[in-house]
Amino acid sequence: MNLPNRITLARICLIPVMMIFLLVDFDFYPAPIVWNDFVLPYNQLIAALIFILAASTDGIDGYLARKNNMVTNLGKLLDPLADKLLVAAVLISLVEMGKCESWIAVVIISREFAVTGLRQIALLEGSVVAAGQSGKIKTVIQIVAIVALLINNFPFVFMGIPFDVIAIWAAAIITLYSGIEYFVQNRHLLKGTGA
């Protein structure tokens, strides 16, 4: 249980804390931002900050593991699992809150776990499925879209720009594209699995 793996576990532990702030009405008053009809409740703002903190640890644990030669099998399993759990938890919460369409959440979550399964097959065969450029872009767009939804499209709401909606649609499209790309590029891994 080295430092990178502890950071990964901390990311997993932040997930239920974030969900509590998203799904439990704490009724904080006043809201941190109120402008005419726009209201950003404290619980959403806190959840957004927790999400940003959790998402930022993804790069940190991987960097530390590679730099200090601390890459372990546990880390290879936990790191992508933690990422997928974080994204799945927040998307399901956003659907529950009426801020994200369920089909978008299903597309994104399905792709994430399908690619994780592909990576596990690769590990069993002694190879590694490296993150491609589209996968990295997908991660950034997902994070931006989720944060925009969590903070009620602030500050774009004042400009009349539905940035949060555009961003989550873009996230769904690039997520689907990168998933197809992963499977096409690594189809040789499926030939020996009976798939």
Side-chain angles (χ1 to χ4, degrees):
M1 185 53 65
N2 56 34
L3 179 59
N5 290 343
R6 289 177 192 273
I7 293 172
T8 303
L9 282 175
R11 181 157 77 253
I12 294 172
C13 292
L14 283 173
I15 294 170
V17 178
M18 177 192 66
M19 290 186 71
I20 288 170
F21 279 103
L22 280 179
L23 301 177
V24 176
D25 186 8
F26 289 99
D27 198 23
F28 288 124
Y29 185 83
I33 302 173
V34 179
W35 183 274
N36 294 333
D37 293 333
F38 177 82
V39 177
L40 177 59
Y42 271 110
N43 61 315
Q44 282 181 227
L45 180 60
I46 293 168
L49 294 174
I50 293 171
F51 175 77
I52 292 168
L53 173 65
S56 67
T57 64
D58 180 28
I60 295 170
D61 57 8
Y63 171 77
L64 289 174
R66 289 186 299 272
K67 181 183 176 186
N68 299 312
N69 197 23
M70 294 180 174
V71 177
T72 64
N73 288 334
L74 178 62
K76 289 177 185 177
L77 174 68
L78 280 183
D79 185 55
L81 181 62
D83 300 340
K84 297 350 174 199
L85 288 173
L86 177 65
V87 169
V90 74
L91 283 175
I92 291 168
S93 299
L94 287 168
V95 169
E96 174 73 15
M97 297 165 68
K99 293 183 172 295
C100 178
E101 294 188 47
S102 57
W103 72 265
I104 290 179
V106 168
V107 165
I108 293 175
I109 292 169
S110 298
R111 179 270 182 205
E112 297 295 4
F113 282 98
V115 170
T116 298
L118 181 65
R119 283 187 165 144
Q120 297 310 312
I121 292 170
L123 282 175
L124 291 172
E125 303 218 353
S127 60
V128 175
V129 176
Q133 191 63 32
S134 65
K136 293 174 183 175
I137 294 170
K138 175 268 308 177
T139 300
V140 172
I141 294 176
Q142 279 183 3
I143 291 170
V144 169
I146 288 169
V147 171
L149 289 167
L150 288 173
I151 60 175
N152 294 345
N153 199 34
F154 179 83
F156 300 99
V157 65
F158 302 123
M159 306 172 216
I161 301 171
F163 177 80
D164 54 348
V165 175
I166 295 168
I168 197 65
W169 271 77
I173 292 167
I174 189 66
T175 298
L176 188 60
Y177 170 80
S178 68
I180 293 169
E181 184 181 58
Y182 269 106
F183 276 88
V184 169
Q185 291 177 349
N186 297 282
R187 58 188 178 275
H188 61 281
L189 293 171
L190 302 174
K191 291 179 181 176
T193 64

Short mmCIF file of all heavy atoms in Angstrom, two decimals, residues 3 6 15 18 20-21 28 51 71 75 93 98 101 109 116 132-133 135 139 152 155 164 170 173 178 180 193:
data_model
loop_
_atom_site.label_atom_id
_atom_site.label_comp_id
_atom_site.label_asym_id
_atom_site.label_seq_id
_atom_site.Cartn_x
_atom_site.Cartn_y
_atom_site.Cartn_z
N LEU A 3 2.21 5.17 -1.55
CA LEU A 3 1.56 6.49 -1.59
C LEU A 3 0.60 6.64 -2.77
O LEU A 3 -0.54 7.11 -2.58
CB LEU A 3 2.62 7.59 -1.61
CG LEU A 3 2.10 9.03 -1.67
CD1 LEU A 3 1.19 9.33 -0.48
CD2 LEU A 3 3.26 10.02 -1.74
N ARG A 6 -2.54 4.87 -1.98
CA ARG A 6 -3.29 5.56 -0.92
C ARG A 6 -4.08 6.75 -1.50
O ARG A 6 -5.21 7.02 -1.10
CB ARG A 6 -2.34 6.06 0.18
CG ARG A 6 -1.76 4.94 1.04
CD ARG A 6 -0.77 5.52 2.05
NE ARG A 6 -0.01 4.46 2.67
CZ ARG A 6 -0.38 3.80 3.76
NH1 ARG A 6 -1.54 4.08 4.32
NH2 ARG A 6 0.38 2.87 4.27
N ILE A 15 -15.86 9.79 -3.01
CA ILE A 15 -17.08 9.61 -3.81
C ILE A 15 -18.35 9.67 -2.95
O ILE A 15 -19.26 10.45 -3.26
CB ILE A 15 -17.01 8.31 -4.63
CG1 ILE A 15 -15.89 8.42 -5.68
CG2 ILE A 15 -18.36 8.02 -5.31
CD1 ILE A 15 -15.58 7.11 -6.39
N MET A 18 -18.99 13.23 -1.72
CA MET A 18 -19.52 14.08 -2.78
C MET A 18 -21.01 13.80 -3.01
O MET A 18 -21.81 14.74 -3.15
CB MET A 18 -18.74 13.84 -4.07
CG MET A 18 -19.23 14.61 -5.27
SD MET A 18 -18.49 14.02 -6.80
CE MET A 18 -19.18 12.37 -6.93
N ILE A 20 -23.21 12.65 -0.92
CA ILE A 20 -24.01 13.16 0.21
C ILE A 20 -24.35 14.63 -0.03
O ILE A 20 -25.49 15.07 0.12
CB ILE A 20 -23.27 12.97 1.55
CG1 ILE A 20 -23.27 11.49 1.93
CG2 ILE A 20 -23.91 13.80 2.65
CD1 ILE A 20 -22.38 11.14 3.09
N PHE A 21 -23.33 15.42 -0.44
CA PHE A 21 -23.58 16.84 -0.68
C PHE A 21 -24.52 17.05 -1.87
O PHE A 21 -25.28 18.01 -1.90
CB PHE A 21 -22.26 17.58 -0.91
CG PHE A 21 -21.56 17.94 0.37
CD1 PHE A 21 -20.48 17.20 0.81
CD2 PHE A 21 -22.01 19.00 1.15
CE1 PHE A 21 -19.83 17.53 2.00
CE2 PHE A 21 -21.37 19.32 2.34
CZ PHE A 21 -20.29 18.59 2.77
N PHE A 28 -28.67 25.04 3.16
CA PHE A 28 -27.81 26.13 3.61
C PHE A 28 -28.40 27.46 3.15
O PHE A 28 -28.97 27.55 2.06
CB PHE A 28 -26.40 25.99 3.01
CG PHE A 28 -25.61 24.87 3.59
CD1 PHE A 28 -25.09 23.90 2.77
CD2 PHE A 28 -25.39 24.78 4.95
CE1 PHE A 28 -24.33 22.86 3.28
CE2 PHE A 28 -24.65 23.74 5.47
CZ PHE A 28 -24.12 22.78 4.64
N PHE A 51 -15.41 17.11 -6.31
CA PHE A 51 -15.21 16.43 -7.59
C PHE A 51 -13.91 16.88 -8.25
O PHE A 51 -13.13 16.06 -8.74
CB PHE A 51 -16.39 16.67 -8.53
CG PHE A 51 -16.18 16.09 -9.90
CD1 PHE A 51 -16.33 14.72 -10.12
CD2 PHE A 51 -15.80 16.90 -10.97
CE1 PHE A 51 -16.11 14.17 -11.38
CE2 PHE A 51 -15.59 16.36 -12.23
CZ PHE A 51 -15.75 15.00 -12.44
N VAL A 71 4.74 1.36 -9.47
CA VAL A 71 3.61 0.77 -10.19
C VAL A 71 3.37 -0.64 -9.66
O VAL A 71 4.29 -1.46 -9.63
CB VAL A 71 3.87 0.74 -11.71
CG1 VAL A 71 2.72 0.06 -12.43
CG2 VAL A 71 4.07 2.15 -12.24
N GLY A 75 -2.43 -1.07 -7.99
CA GLY A 75 -2.60 0.25 -8.58
C GLY A 75 -3.19 0.17 -9.97
O GLY A 75 -4.06 0.97 -10.34
N SER A 93 -25.89 10.78 -9.95
CA SER A 93 -26.42 11.82 -9.06
C SER A 93 -27.03 12.96 -9.87
O SER A 93 -28.10 13.49 -9.52
CB SER A 93 -25.31 12.37 -8.16
OG SER A 93 -24.77 11.36 -7.34
N GLY A 98 -31.99 15.70 -12.04
CA GLY A 98 -32.63 16.24 -13.23
C GLY A 98 -31.74 17.15 -14.04
O GLY A 98 -32.21 17.95 -14.85
N GLU A 101 -29.43 13.99 -18.81
CA GLU A 101 -30.33 12.97 -19.36
C GLU A 101 -29.75 11.58 -19.11
O GLU A 101 -28.54 11.37 -19.21
CB GLU A 101 -30.51 13.21 -20.86
CG GLU A 101 -31.25 14.52 -21.16
CD GLU A 101 -31.60 14.65 -22.62
OE1 GLU A 101 -32.12 13.67 -23.20
OE2 GLU A 101 -31.35 15.72 -23.18
N ILE A 109 -21.09 5.85 -18.95
CA ILE A 109 -20.74 4.81 -17.97
C ILE A 109 -20.46 3.48 -18.68
O ILE A 109 -19.50 2.77 -18.33
CB ILE A 109 -21.86 4.66 -16.92
CG1 ILE A 109 -21.93 5.93 -16.06
CG2 ILE A 109 -21.62 3.43 -16.05
CD1 ILE A 109 -23.16 6.00 -15.18
N THR A 116 -12.52 -0.45 -19.41
CA THR A 116 -11.84 -1.03 -18.25
C THR A 116 -11.75 -2.55 -18.38
O THR A 116 -10.72 -3.16 -18.09
CB THR A 116 -12.59 -0.66 -16.94
OG1 THR A 116 -12.56 0.76 -16.79
CG2 THR A 116 -11.92 -1.31 -15.73
N GLY A 132 -5.09 6.61 -25.27
CA GLY A 132 -4.87 7.33 -26.52
C GLY A 132 -5.21 8.80 -26.37
O GLY A 132 -5.72 9.25 -25.34
N GLN A 133 -4.94 9.56 -27.42
CA GLN A 133 -5.21 11.00 -27.39
C GLN A 133 -6.70 11.28 -27.21
O GLN A 133 -7.08 12.16 -26.45
CB GLN A 133 -4.71 11.65 -28.69
CG GLN A 133 -4.69 13.16 -28.65
CD GLN A 133 -3.73 13.72 -27.62
OE1 GLN A 133 -2.71 13.13 -27.32
NE2 GLN A 133 -4.07 14.86 -27.05
N GLY A 135 -8.83 9.44 -25.69
CA GLY A 135 -9.18 9.11 -24.32
C GLY A 135 -8.83 10.24 -23.36
O GLY A 135 -9.57 10.54 -22.41
N THR A 139 -11.48 12.61 -21.17
CA THR A 139 -11.42 12.84 -19.73
C THR A 139 -11.57 14.32 -19.40
O THR A 139 -12.33 14.69 -18.50
CB THR A 139 -10.08 12.31 -19.16
OG1 THR A 139 -10.01 10.90 -19.42
CG2 THR A 139 -9.98 12.55 -17.67
N ASN A 152 -24.40 24.75 -12.09
CA ASN A 152 -25.57 25.34 -12.77
C ASN A 152 -25.19 26.27 -13.91
O ASN A 152 -25.78 27.35 -14.07
CB ASN A 152 -26.46 26.07 -11.76
CG ASN A 152 -27.10 25.13 -10.77
OD1 ASN A 152 -27.12 23.92 -10.96
ND2 ASN A 152 -27.62 25.68 -9.69
N PRO A 155 -20.34 30.68 -15.30
CA PRO A 155 -21.04 31.97 -15.44
C PRO A 155 -21.78 32.11 -16.77
O PRO A 155 -22.33 33.16 -17.06
CB PRO A 155 -19.89 32.96 -15.38
CG PRO A 155 -18.77 32.25 -16.10
CD PRO A 155 -18.93 30.78 -15.76
N ASP A 164 -23.22 24.11 -20.39
CA ASP A 164 -23.29 22.82 -19.71
C ASP A 164 -23.91 21.74 -20.60
O ASP A 164 -23.44 20.60 -20.65
CB ASP A 164 -24.04 22.94 -18.38
CG ASP A 164 -25.43 23.56 -18.52
OD1 ASP A 164 -25.75 24.12 -19.60
OD2 ASP A 164 -26.20 23.49 -17.54
N ALA A 170 -21.00 16.99 -25.93
CA ALA A 170 -19.65 16.77 -26.48
C ALA A 170 -18.96 15.63 -25.74
O ALA A 170 -18.28 14.79 -26.36
CB ALA A 170 -18.82 18.06 -26.36
N ILE A 173 -20.36 12.32 -27.01
CA ILE A 173 -19.89 12.00 -28.37
C ILE A 173 -18.43 11.55 -28.35
O ILE A 173 -18.09 10.51 -28.93
CB ILE A 173 -20.08 13.22 -29.30
CG1 ILE A 173 -21.57 13.46 -29.53
CG2 ILE A 173 -19.37 13.01 -30.64
CD1 ILE A 173 -21.90 14.80 -30.16
N SER A 178 -14.13 7.55 -28.58
CA SER A 178 -12.88 6.99 -28.04
C SER A 178 -13.05 5.53 -27.64
O SER A 178 -12.12 4.74 -27.76
CB SER A 178 -12.39 7.82 -26.84
OG SER A 178 -13.25 7.68 -25.74
N ILE A 180 -15.08 3.32 -29.16
CA ILE A 180 -15.02 2.55 -30.42
C ILE A 180 -13.57 2.45 -30.89
O ILE A 180 -13.12 1.39 -31.32
CB ILE A 180 -15.90 3.22 -31.49
CG1 ILE A 180 -17.38 3.11 -31.09
CG2 ILE A 180 -15.67 2.60 -32.86
CD1 ILE A 180 -18.32 3.95 -31.93
N THR A 193 -10.70 -14.50 -26.64
CA THR A 193 -11.58 -14.54 -25.47
C THR A 193 -12.91 -15.21 -25.75
O THR A 193 -13.73 -15.36 -24.87
CB THR A 193 -11.86 -13.10 -24.97
OG1 THR A 193 -12.58 -12.41 -26.00
CG2 THR A 193 -10.59 -12.38 -24.64
#
